[in-house]
Amino acid sequence: MTKLKPKTRLSMLVVLLRNPWTILFSAAFAIYIGISQPEFAKSLAPLGNIYLSLLKMCVLPILISAITMSIGKLMVSNDAIRYIKRVLAVFPFGMLIVSLVSLATALFFGPGRSLSSATLQNLGVLINKEGVDLVLSLSGPSSPPKEPPGLLSFIISMIPSNIFGSLSDGETLKVVFFSIVFGATLGIVNRNSSNPYQIFDMFEAIYKSFNKMISWLTLLLPFGLFGLLASQIAKAGLNVIFAMVNFLVAGLITYGIVYILSTLVIWSQVKRPLPIVFATLQDTSILALATSNAFACLPSTISAMTDGFKFKRQAINVVIPLAVTVGRFGQIVYFTLASLFVAQLYKADLGVGSLSIVIVGSIFAGIASSGATGIATLTTLNVVLQPLGLPLEAVLVLFLAIDPIMDPFRTLCTLHSGIAATTVIADLEPKQQVVEEDTYLATS
């Protein structure tokens, strides 16, 4: 019997770790462990957190290098104005569409309407339990209520007073703003030099180095996914899931609709067969569901858009980070659904004016949540609920309890819708070499 060479065995191991069935088995086993062995599953949280931290370690260097390099090259090539116009047209339109789809779904399914007495009792008990903690925390001197962030305050919050402090604190939106300004300045300064692209070679080398690190880390995805998912299932439990099942179902259906619409947009723009579209975005989608972190998926997304679909790299390097950071499509969907759920739960009378507040407020809240994750994202819901006169504190615990389930789909929606918007904005390479379907599927 012929022994396999070490190089061959390594190649087989790489193929096995990248196989979607390996990922699915890891997810299924994690769910089983999270339900049957919750204490053991919680002890696996460090395994998932380590993996997520390794991915996050590469995010800011990739953001800075990719955006600075791409904006600078755009300024040199005089294409900046054209892409800015497209972004200002496509992003608001996409945000409005996903908000309207979410509103229609919530009105049709009514996740907060006609709940059984047992469900209402479970929700009430949960709210009361959280209410005790809120009373204790608010027993001191009262502070004036915070007003919803205005457009001017949001713009001011984007500008870093200390870029090194923003890097240290992981303030992604401020880092993106700095990279855009820095890249534009470098492009203008070097526009008339003999070799205007030389300065950007260093940023490209940094980008490629961290992108290579990400490709190595994706081999460990089955193990990182197991640790993340098992611990999340153990923490969420089943009681809250059963009590919030209507909201969960409405949310998953809405995310499914938005995913299908986004896929159709991508398909129409790249002009490839649907199996090719799914195969190209396969790793990116799995990574989004596994990590619940859209920024950690940026390298994989950029690679799929440039190497797979053959879009111009400098445009992709700029638009994709903006889509993830500012075009918070998944958060907009969530805020719209959550607002309607709370309104229906409290039997609030929603007219045309109130529904308009939900649509516009959810878009604004989504933008205002840029760079935020988890609890910080959910608290931004108050931007929508406060003008409607609905309480956030009493129901926040419900959303926190099911957030481990909704967060992966929220992330996937943000990323996938951002990809769809980017395909409308960016240009394909002029001499695109079309990959045959069977060849691509065999090598992916």
Side-chain angles (χ1 to χ4, degrees), residues 9-176:
R9 289 198 296 267
L10 181 61
S11 300
M12 291 178 63
L13 179 61
V14 170
V15 171
L16 177 64
L17 291 174
R18 290 184 180 274
N19 193 304
W21 288 107
T22 304
I23 307 297
L24 289 175
F25 174 79
S26 175
F29 189 52
I31 293 173
Y32 169 75
I33 293 297
I35 295 174
S36 62
Q37 303 289 335
E39 293 302 321
F40 173 68
K42 290 178 183 178
S43 69
L44 296 174
L47 174 65
N49 292 334
I50 289 173
Y51 182 74
L52 192 57
S53 297
L54 288 171
L55 287 175
K56 288 180 179 179
M57 175 184 70
C58 305
V59 171
L60 289 182
I62 287 175
L63 275 178
I64 295 173
S65 58
I67 295 177
T68 301
M69 172 184 65
S70 302
I71 288 288
K73 288 183 176 180
L74 280 175
M75 297 303 295
V76 170
S77 64
N78 296 317
D79 283 339
I81 300 299
R82 181 160 55 94
Y83 283 115
I84 290 174
K85 288 180 179 178
R86 292 182 184 180
V87 167
L88 293 177
V90 173
F91 277 18
F93 181 74
M95 293 175 182
L96 179 61
I97 291 297
V98 298
S99 183
L100 289 173
V101 169
S102 307
L103 183 72
T105 307
L107 291 175
F108 179 79
F109 287 100
R113 288 197 309 259
S114 304
L115 298 179
S116 66
S117 57
T119 301
L120 289 173
Q121 185 177 3
N122 288 335
L123 293 177
V125 170
L126 289 168
I127 293 172
N128 289 335
K129 284 183 178 178
E130 182 67 10
V132 174
D133 295 333
L134 288 170
V135 170
L136 291 175
S137 64
L138 298 175
S139 58
S142 60
S143 57
K146 293 183 179 180
E147 296 182 358
L151 180 60
L152 181 61
S153 62
F154 173 67
I155 294 174
I156 293 174
S157 70
M158 293 172 56
I159 304 173
S161 58
N162 183 347
I163 184 57
F164 298 103
S166 298
L167 287 168
S168 177
D169 295 336
E171 296 173 322
T172 309
L173 188 60
K174 293 183 178 181
V175 173
V176 169

Side-chain angles (χ1 to χ4, degrees), residues 51-52 54-59 62 214 218 287-288 291-301 324 411 415:
Y51 182 74
L52 192 57
L54 288 171
L55 287 175
K56 288 180 179 179
M57 175 184 70
C58 305
V59 171
I62 287 175
I214 289 288
T218 54
L287 196 61
T291 62
S292 299
N293 190 305
F295 300 107
C297 305
L298 284 177
S300 174
T301 305
V324 171
T411 302
L415 190 65

Side-chain angles (χ1 to χ4, degrees), residues 67 80 109 133 144 187 218 226 244 260 265 286 288 290 317 377 429 439:
I67 295 177
F109 287 100
D133 295 333
T218 54
F226 178 74
M244 294 286 287
I260 292 172
V265 171
I286 293 174
N317 286 343
T377 298
E429 292 288 354
T439 304

Side-chain angles (χ1 to χ4, degrees), residues 42-380:
K42 290 178 183 178
S43 69
L44 296 174
L47 174 65
N49 292 334
I50 289 173
Y51 182 74
L52 192 57
S53 297
L54 288 171
L55 287 175
K56 288 180 179 179
M57 175 184 70
C58 305
V59 171
L60 289 182
I62 287 175
L63 275 178
I64 295 173
S65 58
I67 295 177
T68 301
M69 172 184 65
S70 302
I71 288 288
K73 288 183 176 180
L74 280 175
M75 297 303 295
V76 170
S77 64
N78 296 317
D79 283 339
I81 300 299
R82 181 160 55 94
Y83 283 115
I84 290 174
K85 288 180 179 178
R86 292 182 184 180
V87 167
L88 293 177
V90 173
F91 277 18
F93 181 74
M95 293 175 182
L96 179 61
I97 291 297
V98 298
S99 183
L100 289 173
V101 169
S102 307
L103 183 72
T105 307
L107 291 175
F108 179 79
F109 287 100
R113 288 197 309 259
S114 304
L115 298 179
S116 66
S117 57
T119 301
L120 289 173
Q121 185 177 3
N122 288 335
L123 293 177
V125 170
L126 289 168
I127 293 172
N128 289 335
K129 284 183 178 178
E130 182 67 10
V132 174
D133 295 333
L134 288 170
V135 170
L136 291 175
S137 64
L138 298 175
S139 58
S142 60
S143 57
K146 293 183 179 180
E147 296 182 358
L151 180 60
L152 181 61
S153 62
F154 173 67
I155 294 174
I156 293 174
S157 70
M158 293 172 56
I159 304 173
S161 58
N162 183 347
I163 184 57
F164 298 103
S166 298
L167 287 168
S168 177
D169 295 336
E171 296 173 322
T172 309
L173 188 60
K174 293 183 178 181
V175 173
V176 169
F177 181 86
F178 168 81
S179 301
I180 291 173
V181 174
F182 184 51
T185 305
L186 277 180
I188 293 172
V189 169
N190 290 275
R191 179 181 294 176
N192 298 322
S193 63
S194 57
N195 187 2
Y197 294 100
Q198 184 177 7
I199 186 66
F200 302 111
D201 291 341
M202 177 186 67
F203 290 98
E204 187 170 4
I206 295 173
Y207 167 78
K208 288 182 177 179
S209 298
F210 279 94
N211 197 32
K212 189 66 175 178
M213 292 172 63
I214 289 288
S215 68
W216 291 337
L217 287 173
T218 54
L219 297 177
L220 301 177
L221 179 57
F223 307 102
L225 172 62
F226 178 74
L228 286 168
L229 189 56
S231 59
Q232 287 177 352
I233 292 295
K235 290 177 182 177
L238 296 177
N239 291 333
V240 178
I241 297 174
F242 291 146
M244 294 286 287
V245 66
N246 287 359
F247 179 79
L248 286 171
V249 170
L252 294 178
I253 290 175
T254 308
Y255 283 129
I257 294 172
V258 174
Y259 184 89
I260 292 172
L261 293 176
S262 300
T263 301
L264 292 176
V265 171
I266 297 170
W267 173 59
S268 66
Q269 293 299 119
V270 302
K271 297 176 176 60
R272 303 282 191 90
L274 274 176
I276 295 291
V277 173
F278 285 117
T280 304
L281 298 176
Q282 171 185 284
D283 291 345
T284 298
S285 298
I286 293 174
L287 196 61
L289 291 172
T291 62
S292 299
N293 190 305
F295 300 107
C297 305
L298 284 177
S300 174
T301 305
I302 292 172
S303 177
M305 297 289 287
T306 55
D307 300 333
F309 292 141
K310 305 299 180 184
F311 281 93
K312 289 184 177 180
R313 182 174 294 275
Q314 66 182 39
I316 294 301
N317 286 343
V318 173
V319 180
I320 280 292
L322 286 177
V324 171
T325 307
V326 180
R328 309 280 278 179
F329 301 99
Q331 280 76 1
I332 292 170
V333 171
Y334 193 87
F335 291 150
T336 305
L337 288 171
S339 301
L340 264 294
F341 172 79
V342 176
Q344 292 167 358
L345 191 65
Y346 283 91
K347 302 185 185 305
D349 185 18
L350 295 179
V352 176
S354 297
L355 293 178
S356 301
I357 291 175
V358 171
I359 294 172
V360 177
S362 297
I363 294 173
F364 190 72
I367 297 174
S369 70
S370 298
T373 57
I375 298 176
T377 298
L378 298 179
T379 53
T380 317

